[in-house]
Amino acid sequence: MAVIPSGFVHELLSRIDIVEIVGRSVELKRAGSTWKGLCPFHGEKTPSFTVSSTRQTYHCFGCGVHGNAVGFLMEHHGMGFIDAVRDL
């Protein structure tokens, strides 16, 4: 089984843009310093899903789901950790 060093993952996350990663699956619109869209994890009519490029995280105020780019790929696309890191 492959082991990915945590330092590599931290470096990878610092180099990617979470807005671009999430934006592949969710239509995002600028809302001040963050981006907003409809949460892909539950049905909603009013956007409560935010993505922060400064913190490199996502959060839904409706269902409470949150995380980083690796977590988004794992949750939304059903990838395993190693596949999500490879995708990034």
Side-chain angles (χ1 to χ4, degrees), residues 48-70:
S48 64
F49 184 77
T50 61
V51 180
S52 170
S53 58
T54 56
R55 291 189 313 263
Q56 290 294 307
T57 60
Y58 66 91
H59 179 79
C60 177
F61 292 95
C63 68
V65 69
H66 62 275
N68 60 26
V70 173

Side-chain angles (χ1 to χ4, degrees), residues 12-68:
L12 177 66
L13 289 172
S14 73
R15 291 176 179 244
I16 58 99
D17 180 11
I18 193 168
V19 174
E20 179 186 332
I21 302 302
V22 174
R24 295 179 196 166
S25 306
V26 178
E27 184 179 336
L28 297 172
K29 295 186 183 200
R30 173 77 86 183
S33 64
T34 62
W35 297 79
K36 273 190 134 175
L38 297 175
C39 181
F41 301 106
H42 77 280
E44 63 180 2
K45 295 179 183 176
T46 305
S48 64
F49 184 77
T50 61
V51 180
S52 170
S53 58
T54 56
R55 291 189 313 263
Q56 290 294 307
T57 60
Y58 66 91
H59 179 79
C60 177
F61 292 95
C63 68
V65 69
H66 62 275
N68 60 26

